[in-house]
């Protein structure tokens, strides 16, 4: 009988515990409806089961439902009241928690500590301190929570006084105090606490090592790391990141290879470390060797490629990531949007935009700004305007992007309209705003408007002009043939003229045949940018036009001595979500070069029938006549346009990007190509956009 009675008691106990445990588990995994069903079906609901379901509602961010259930409880104990306080605090409702605390029939140390913790979490340290000193009794947890609050607020000396008052200091309290000192850079005080600890766990060791790392004492951190009795993943990661942060990547790699278990976190840190130091190939090697990768791993390599100018590789890796079923998260998507903007990969940009919309990330102003920039750089100005108009709370970055976008596309009137709208909303323009506005005036020949806006920058808008604003003005006046006025602007600059300013003057002097002044500007550029081939080539042609062959020879000698080479022209086009790159004169590098050759031959015939004849705008290329013709025919933008004519459907614009400024001959040729083929061609060069249609360019040849 006794055996049977004991069995019955055991069965009864398990019967009450199992449903409560089931309710708790379902609540933790977000299945609160199922948890409620289990609760409702209980024939006899204990206080513990009530407490469990209420806690579940709080965990699932449903505090109102939790309160309703609390009020229905037939019987409450102190755990119930404490659960209500903790639940409110977890939901950031510290005022409601305090109301419950104040009307509790009785309180224990858990009640007081929970309320203090709530104040600390909300940054209300003053209220936490006041309540702490009212506590009738305190345990080590109470002291540690209050200590953490003071440290969190940077009140490190007050924290130390509290620490010294603690009747009992456990390893958590000691470690917190140590971490506070490390955060403030007081490593000797932190080390003193560390050395005095009667017992140290792996967290204490790692905290001290991390403190040294964060304060650039990596060698001291390594010595402590070597004598650490037990190391875990966090310890190894802290030490490895210390090396990556201070640029000692080889030491980081050595440590990584010595790790007994290589975690994803350490692999990711090493990838970013190599990337920050420009060692892209090594970053990729670590990525390829990692057996386990998460989204952050893929994002790290994509970020490295994007930052170091390997946009095509970044895009290829993003495509591979999706093929392998890895769903990109927010950081990866934002990085790829920047890549799409650089490459003008509109198809992939649209795809990423759709993913951001599905995840509702597009509602953030930062994301909208990145989307806006992507569409502008891809040449889809109508879509950019839709993104701009849709977002009501525009920040200065969005306004500036839209103004600059219109400017780059040669739409000066629209840019000025956006500027006026921006000002009417009360948004204060900054220096970037005026670069966009002056560029818009520059690209559309609005000299008077540009002068008026430049003069009003300081007087009306309180924005001090910088070198980039002066460069815009020199370019604006120079393009209009007002060379003397441009020189006056430079002479009146309150700062030293930079390469952009002298480059603007040089371009104007070349256009308007002011060779003596062009020589002065070119020589200034040689001093400022001795590795840039452009000024050498321009100056060489100026000397050649004046018959100064000895000067030409000397200039070329200097170029060879300094290993200065002209950057090769390259253009690219996206076809069916794949980016095709073309380099001037290197047509055979493309697998479909024979088809492209036939299209070029067809275009030659059509253009000559239309009266096109190369006008010899190749004096700047410094090649003989035969090479001129070859270079002319196989300029990278022409190769990309020819490929676009072959592959892009007729109803879709052909979008081509070039790394340099489009040459005069290609500009003329593409206008005619657009006319004879009845296609719309959008070309983005290093300076601006050109929209070709019906034999006309949006720049109106003012470029």
């Amino acid at each position: 009988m006794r055996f049977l009675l004991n069995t019955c008691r055991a069965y009864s106990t398990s019967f009450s515990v199992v449903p409560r445990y089931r309710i708790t588990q379902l609540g933790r995994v977000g299945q609160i409806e199922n948890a409620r069903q289990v609760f409702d079906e209980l024939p006899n609901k204990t206080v513990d089961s009530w407490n469990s379901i209420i806690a579940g509602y709080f965990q699932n961010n449903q505090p109102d439902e939790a309160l309703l259930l609390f009020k229905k409880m037939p019987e409450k104990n102190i755990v119930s009241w404490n659960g209500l306080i903790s639940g409110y605090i977890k939901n950031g409702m510290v005022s409601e928690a305090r109301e419950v605390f104040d009307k509790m029939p009785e309180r224990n140390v858990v009640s007081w500590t929970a309320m203090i913790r709530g104040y600390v979490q909300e940054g209300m340290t003053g209220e936490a301190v006041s309540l702490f000193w009212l506590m009738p009794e305190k345990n080590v947890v109470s002291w540690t929570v209050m200590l953490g609050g003071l440290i969190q607020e940077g009140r490190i000396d007050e924290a130390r006084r509290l620490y010294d008052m603690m009747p009992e200091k456990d390893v958590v309290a000691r470690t917190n105090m140590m971490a506070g000192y490390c955060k403030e850079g007081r490593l000797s005080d932190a080390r003193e606490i560390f050395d005095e600890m009667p017992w140290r766990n792996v967290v204490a060791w790692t905290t001290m090592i991390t403190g040294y790392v964060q304060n650039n004492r990596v060698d001291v951190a390594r010595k402590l790391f070597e004598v650490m009795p037990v190391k875990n993943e966090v310890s190894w990661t802290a030490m490895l990141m210390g090396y990556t942060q201070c640029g000692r990547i080889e030491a980081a790699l050595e440590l990584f290879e010595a790790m007994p278990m290589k975690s994803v976190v350490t692999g990711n840190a090493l990838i970013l470390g190599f990337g920050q130091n420009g060692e892209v190939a090594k970053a990729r090697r670590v990525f390829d060797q990692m057996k386990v990768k998460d989204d952050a791993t893929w994002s790290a390599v994509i970020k490295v490629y994007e930052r170091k100018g390997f946009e095509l590789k970044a895009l290829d890796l993003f495509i591979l990531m999706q093929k392998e079923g890895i769903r990109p998260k927010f950081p990866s998507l934002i990085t790829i949007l920047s890549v799409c903007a650089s490459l003008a990969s509109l198809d992939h940009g649209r795809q990423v935009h759709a993913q951001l919309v599905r995840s509702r990330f597009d509602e953030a102003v930062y994301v909208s700004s990145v989307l806006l920039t992507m569409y502008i750089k891809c040449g889809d100005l109508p879509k950019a305007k839709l993104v701009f108009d849709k977002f009501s709370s525009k920040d200065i970055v969005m306004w500036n992007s839209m103004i600059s976008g219109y400017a780059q596309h040669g739409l000066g009137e629209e840019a000025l309209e956006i500027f006026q709208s921006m000002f009417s909303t009360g948004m204060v323009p900054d220096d970037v705003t005026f670069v966009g506005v002056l560029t818009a005036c520059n690209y559309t020949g609005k000299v008077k408007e540009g002068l008026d806006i430049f003069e009003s920058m300081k007087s009306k808008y309180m924005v001090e002009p910088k070198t980039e604003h002066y460069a815009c003005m020199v370019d604006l006046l120079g393009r209009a043939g007002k060379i003397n006025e441009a020189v006056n602007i430079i002479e009146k600059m309150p700062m030293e003229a930079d390469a952009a300013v002298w480059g603007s003057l040089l371009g104007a002097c070349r256009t308007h045949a002011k060779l003596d002044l062009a020589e002065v500007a070119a020589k200034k550029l040689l001093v400022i940018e001795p590795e840039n081939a452009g000024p050498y080539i321009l100056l060489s042609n100026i000397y050649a036009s004046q018959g100064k062959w000895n000067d030409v020879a000397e200039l070329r000698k200097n170029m060879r001595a300094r290993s200065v080479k002209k950057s090769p022209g390259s253009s690219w086009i996206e076809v069916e979500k794949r980016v095709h790159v073309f380099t001037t004169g290197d047509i055979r590098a493309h697998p479909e070069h024979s088809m492209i050759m036939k299209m070029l031959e067809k275009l030659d015939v059509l253009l000559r029938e239309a009266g096109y004849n190369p006008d010899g705008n190749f004096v700047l290329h410094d090649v003989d006549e035969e090479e001129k013709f070859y270079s002319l025919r196989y300029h990278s933008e022409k190769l990309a346009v020819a490929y676009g004519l072959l592959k892009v459907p007729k109803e879709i614009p052909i979008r081509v990007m070039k790394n340099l400024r489009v040459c005069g001959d290609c500009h003329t040729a593409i206008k005619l190509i657009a006319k004879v083929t009845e296609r719309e061609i959008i070309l983005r060069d290093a300076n601006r956009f050109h929209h070709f249609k019906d034999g006309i360019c949006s720049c109106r040849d003012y470029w």
Side-chain angles (χ1 to χ4, degrees), residues 211-428:
Y212 282 125
V213 162
Q214 290 173 344
N215 288 275
N216 300 316
R217 301 278 299 279
V218 181
D219 291 328
V220 180
R222 182 60 186 264
K223 287 178 182 177
L224 197 63
F225 179 80
E226 291 298 334
V227 297
M228 195 174 172
V230 179
K231 303 175 181 72
N232 64 7
E233 182 182 316
V234 180
S235 317
W236 285 93
T237 303
M239 192 65 246
L240 185 138
M241 291 186 76
Y243 282 127
T244 61
Q245 287 166 9
C246 68
R248 293 166 62 177
I249 304 303
E250 294 304 323
L253 181 59
E254 179 187 334
L255 192 72
F256 180 74
E257 291 173 346
M259 288 179 67
M261 290 185 66
K262 296 171 177 60
S263 68
V264 175
V265 175
T266 51
N268 296 350
L270 195 59
I271 288 168
L272 290 172
F274 275 128
Q276 286 165 5
N277 283 269
E279 299 191 61
V280 178
K282 289 183 178 178
R284 181 58 190 261
R285 198 175 308 135
V286 172
F287 173 83
D288 291 336
Q289 290 172 353
M290 288 175 66
K291 294 178 180 177
V292 179
K293 303 178 182 76
D294 61 7
D295 171 74
T297 314
W298 291 85
S299 182
V301 185
I302 290 170
K303 173 65 76 177
V304 167
Y305 278 141
E306 184 258 336
R307 284 184 175 174
K308 298 303 173 182
F310 294 90
E311 287 91 354
L312 277 173
K313 288 184 179 292
L315 191 56
D316 288 342
L317 196 63
F318 179 71
I319 294 167
L320 179 63
M321 176 185 185
Q322 293 182 302
K323 284 181 180 177
E324 295 202 4
I326 307 295
R327 187 176 180 181
K329 294 182 182 176
F330 182 74
S332 303
L333 293 173
I334 291 298
T335 301
I336 285 298
L337 270 185
S338 298
V339 169
C340 292
S342 297
L343 293 175
S345 177
L346 187 57
D347 288 343
H348 281 101
R350 286 170 176 157
Q351 177 188 340
V352 173
H353 187 178
Q355 289 178 273
L356 288 167
V357 169
R358 285 195 295 271
S359 304
R360 297 197 174 181
F361 287 133
D362 66 317
E363 296 172 5
V365 64
Y366 169 70
V367 176
S368 292
S369 294
V370 178
L371 281 169
L372 185 64
T373 301
M374 185 273 293
Y375 281 118
I376 288 170
K377 289 191 174 182
C378 288
D380 193 343
L381 209 52
K383 184 64 177 177
K385 187 64 164 58
L386 283 174
V387 173
F388 179 79
D389 290 339
K390 179 184 174 183
F391 207 85
S392 55
S393 305
K394 301 175 184 68
D395 64 358
I396 187 70
V397 177
M398 290 189 72
W399 285 101
N400 289 347
S401 296
M402 204 66 236
I403 291 168
S404 297
Y406 277 129
Q408 290 166 7
H409 285 262
L411 300 171
E413 291 290 348
E414 289 83 349
L416 292 177
E417 285 176 13
I418 292 289
F419 175 64
Q420 293 302 327
S421 298
M422 171 188 174
F423 191 67
S424 65
T425 63
M427 182 67 68
V428 179

Side-chain angles (χ1 to χ4, degrees), residues 563-634:
S563 300
V564 177
K565 293 182 180 179
K566 185 176 183 291
S567 299
S570 63
S571 300
W572 56 96
I573 181 172
E574 184 184 42
V575 176
E576 295 177 351
K577 291 190 177 181
R578 185 182 169 197
V579 177
H580 299 259
V581 182
F582 298 90
T583 305
T584 296
D586 190 19
I587 187 171
R588 296 191 179 278
H590 196 278
E592 296 177 273
H593 66 272
S594 59
M595 291 175 61
I596 299 170
M597 284 283 290
K598 288 178 182 176
M599 175 55 74
L600 287 171
E601 290 168 3
K602 181 181 176 182
L603 289 174
D604 282 347
V605 173
L606 290 172
L607 293 178
R608 291 188 187 278
E609 287 175 354
Y612 169 71
N613 185 38
D615 60 7
N617 284 342
F618 284 81
V619 65
L620 302 181
H621 289 285
D622 195 26
V623 289
D624 61 32
E625 292 301 318
E626 184 180 350
E627 287 175 324
K628 281 182 188 178
F629 178 77
Y630 181 81
S631 176
L632 174 62
R633 186 179 188 187
Y634 297 118

